[in-house]
Amino acid sequence: MVIEDYFTETKAAKVSIDILKAIHYMHQQNIIHRDMKADNIMIKSEGDKSWIKIIDFGLGIQNGDKKL
């Protein structure tokens, strides 16, 4: 595991957009995370490519009332 000391502005913008797209997709599926924070976002980078994973849905709900 490599931890980067900083992101370039371009990389930070791309990761931010990817996070927002993931949240938008979850909301389209009627899933609400309810504990979004940096600790619950995993980022994997290989060269110019990066992937995000949103983790820890312990407080998440579906359809506004069902616990996941």
Side-chain angles (χ1 to χ4, degrees), residues 26 29-34 56-68:
M26 288 188 310
Q29 305 305 311
N30 294 318
I31 297 171
I32 304 168
H33 190 279
R34 299 195 325 168
D56 192 5
F57 283 80
L59 295 176
I61 58 172
Q62 190 170 19
N63 294 326
D65 60 356
K66 298 178 188 173
K67 193 162 181 143
L68 292 177

Side-chain angles (χ1 to χ4, degrees), residues 3-63:
I3 298 175
E4 296 183 31
D5 291 332
Y6 63 91
F7 278 174
T8 64
E9 184 176 343
T10 302
K11 190 168 187 176
K14 183 193 178 313
V15 168
S16 297
I17 289 168
D18 288 346
I19 292 167
L20 291 172
K21 285 180 179 179
I23 293 170
H24 179 70
Y25 177 78
M26 288 188 310
H27 288 178
Q28 287 179 321
Q29 305 305 311
N30 294 318
I31 297 171
I32 304 168
H33 190 279
R34 299 195 325 168
D35 192 24
M36 286 300 302
K37 57 187 174 189
D39 291 343
N40 289 337
I41 299 170
M42 306 297 288
I43 303 169
K44 179 180 180 182
S45 295
E46 291 179 3
D48 291 341
K49 295 182 180 182
S50 63
W51 296 266
I52 65 148
K53 287 187 179 184
I54 298 176
I55 62 171
D56 192 5
F57 283 80
L59 295 176
I61 58 172
Q62 190 170 19
N63 294 326

